[in-house]
Amino acid sequence: MTQAAEFEELRPLLFSISYRILGSVSEAEDAVQEAWLRFQSAAKPPRSAKAFLSAVVTRLSIDVLRSARSRREQYVGPWFPEPLVTDPYQDPERSAELADSVSMASLLLLERLSPLERAVFVLREVFGFGFGEIASAVGRTESACRQLVVRARRHLDAGRPRFEADQAERDELAGRFLEAFRDGDVDGLTALLAADVQLVGDGGGKGPQWADRYLGAPNVARVLGALAALFPRIQAQLEPREVNGRPGAIFRDRDGLVLTVWSLEIVEGRIQTIHTVSNPDKLGHLGPVADGWAALREARRTVR
């Protein structure tokens, strides 16, 4: 196998590691590309391409995350990961861990960890790396890595969601929710919301959030009803998609340009959280992005 072919075989794993550490599609792609350059220019071929490349992409991701932390502290409004509609790495033996670890809720929980804790947790708990491999990747002893994993688990356990629906139940409920939204059925939407549901948006100050931060079924139902009436006026198209391993949707304008992305967290048979992302900087990997502000102005004009 050529060096390039070996790298391409490992690319999905490398991207998936980096994305879970960074929460950014674009930064993860950059880290993977830099790992390739270092692999290509290595003085001699490493004994294990997987070990070498995983270590490189992990270290690069830790460095990027350290510098990103200060930017995220200055971020306008809530910060969410860049929406991921396709996780390129698949492993039947770890499918549950892979799906759970990429959800918006899980990635936001990982934000509680230091960059080193996050990297070690991802390598161990999500991808099942041995502590020897992890220690080599992050430049710590095996004992220190074990302690980092324990500490990370302790930080995360308190924030883990209550019992979640299985995939079939999630998909069925999400389908009813999106159909009710498309039909403007406010009663139907309300019936599917948890009493303490949250509707939270990330516009980053660069795009209309469409949904800012609303708590409780009555408030969220009212906003969803308003949006359900508003979106058809600008001929917005609802495209059901899996987003970060959960049911969701991409909304596009009449020309097919991306307006916003929603991801649904479903707990105990109800919609618990709706994460919306409309910051154009976070949507470019999904295709050409609409001018959200222009769409909002048009929608408001048509209402009058």
Side-chain angles (χ1 to χ4, degrees), residues 16-264:
S16 294
I17 290 171
S18 187
Y19 176 78
R20 284 164 174 81
I21 296 173
L22 293 169
S24 167
V25 171
S26 55
E27 290 175 340
E29 290 174 342
D30 288 346
V32 171
Q33 183 60 28
E34 178 62 25
W36 159 247
L37 295 175
R38 296 190 185 189
F39 183 50
Q40 192 180 37
S41 62
K44 60 180 181 178
R47 285 184 296 177
S48 167
K50 178 183 176 182
F52 175 85
L53 286 164
S54 298
V56 170
V57 85
T58 296
R59 291 173 193 151
L60 289 168
S61 300
I62 290 172
D63 289 343
V64 172
L65 184 58
R66 283 174 174 151
S67 64
R69 281 295 169 90
S70 60
R71 296 196 304 272
R72 291 178 189 178
E73 289 173 359
Q74 300 169 5
Y75 195 80
V76 177
W79 179 93
F80 295 159
E82 291 182 12
L84 183 70
V85 296
T86 303
D87 187 0
Y89 180 71
Q90 302 296 323
D91 180 350
E93 293 184 2
R94 305 194 68 81
S95 58
E97 293 91 340
L98 289 169
D100 182 64
S101 66
V102 83
S103 73
M104 286 279 185
S106 293
L107 290 172
L108 289 171
L109 275 178
L110 288 175
E111 286 291 303
R112 300 181 179 186
L113 306 180
S114 71
L116 187 58
E117 286 174 337
R118 184 165 179 165
V120 171
F121 182 86
V122 165
L123 291 175
R124 178 62 183 173
E125 298 295 295
V126 180
F127 294 97
F129 278 62
F131 280 107
E133 298 172 292
I134 297 170
S136 176
V138 301
R140 297 291 191 277
T141 65
E142 289 189 39
S143 175
C145 290
R146 291 179 190 276
Q147 291 174 1
L148 286 166
V149 169
V150 169
R151 196 158 64 220
R153 286 180 188 146
R154 190 164 57 243
H155 283 309
L156 297 179
D157 282 345
R160 290 194 184 280
R162 304 187 300 272
F163 173 76
E164 293 187 350
D166 64 29
Q167 182 172 349
E169 184 182 347
R170 277 202 314 257
D171 292 345
E172 190 274 334
L173 190 147
R176 286 193 284 138
F177 173 83
L178 294 174
E179 183 177 355
F181 182 85
R182 187 186 282 119
D183 294 342
D185 179 3
V186 177
D187 290 340
L189 289 168
T190 304
L192 300 174
L193 301 176
D196 57 348
V197 63
Q198 298 184 62
L199 173 60
V200 193
D202 173 353
K206 298 184 177 182
Q209 292 178 239
W210 299 100
D212 188 4
R213 180 185 288 274
Y214 300 92
L215 306 177
N219 290 329
V220 171
R222 174 176 52 79
V223 175
L224 290 174
L227 290 175
L230 199 66
F231 278 16
R233 297 170 191 257
I234 55 173
Q235 300 177 39
Q237 307 161 41
L238 187 162
E239 178 185 319
R241 293 291 296 270
E242 183 175 277
V243 178
N244 286 82
R246 296 292 187 265
I250 299 174
F251 290 83
R252 301 180 186 273
D253 70 6
R254 62 171 61 86
D255 298 316
L257 306 182
V258 180
L259 278 168
T260 183
V261 176
W262 292 11
S263 180
L264 310 176

